[in-house]
Amino acid sequence: MTLLTILNQQFLVANLFYEGGPLFMSLILLALLTSLFFIIKGFISLKSNKEQTFKILKLAIDASLLALVLGFLGSVLGLIQAFDSVEAMGNPDPSIFAGGLKISLLTATFGLFSFVVTRIGIFILRLANK
């Protein structure tokens, strides 16, 4: 890959982050980072204290579920905004409606991605804890 291709991909990700709504996307990112922190902390405490690892595992599960729920909440609120815009326009162009649907689904996609990544880490931590 060339440097220009890498930079274009980074700008695309930043653009999708901004299009999905900075508030909900930031909250989902915070939940993802928190759950990854708990998973890493669980791996560190794995050898020394199994009870503490179990408590940390529960926190990681809660953080992953929070990311998922925030994603769907952002998506539902985005859909409500899109439908309000359609209602205000009267007879909108289908491309405008499709663009609104795409933007509203970005938070759900990021929430699902965060959930899946975290659940894989939780699964591996559970296997290591046995």
Side-chain angles (χ1 to χ4, degrees), residues 21-35:
L23 175 65
F24 277 99
M25 296 294 265
S26 298
L27 290 174
I28 295 167
L29 180 63
L30 186 63
L32 172 65
L33 294 175
T34 303
S35 59

Side-chain angles (χ1 to χ4, degrees), residues 38-101:
F38 286 134
I39 290 171
I40 291 169
K41 190 172 180 181
F43 276 112
I44 291 171
S45 70
L46 188 63
K47 302 268 189 218
S48 61
N49 191 353
K50 294 219 181 229
E51 185 177 317
Q52 183 182 9
T53 303
F54 181 72
K55 289 179 183 178
I56 292 171
L57 185 64
K58 288 174 78 175
L59 289 172
I61 290 169
D62 290 342
S64 72
L65 288 173
L66 180 64
L68 181 67
V69 169
L70 283 172
F72 282 110
L73 178 64
S75 180
V76 168
L77 291 176
L79 283 171
I80 290 171
Q81 266 184 333
F83 288 133
D84 283 344
S85 298
V86 166
E87 185 180 29
M89 288 180 162
N91 192 8
D93 184 28
S95 64
I96 294 172
F97 187 67
L101 288 176

Side-chain angles (χ1 to χ4, degrees), residues 28 31-33 35-36 39 60-69 71-72 107-125:
I28 295 167
L32 172 65
L33 294 175
S35 59
L36 291 177
I39 290 171
I61 290 169
D62 290 342
S64 72
L65 288 173
L66 180 64
L68 181 67
V69 169
F72 282 110
T107 54
T109 304
F110 189 46
L112 281 168
F113 171 78
S114 301
F115 181 75
V116 168
V117 166
T118 305
R119 294 306 273 197
I120 290 170
I122 290 167
F123 179 72
I124 294 170
L125 183 60

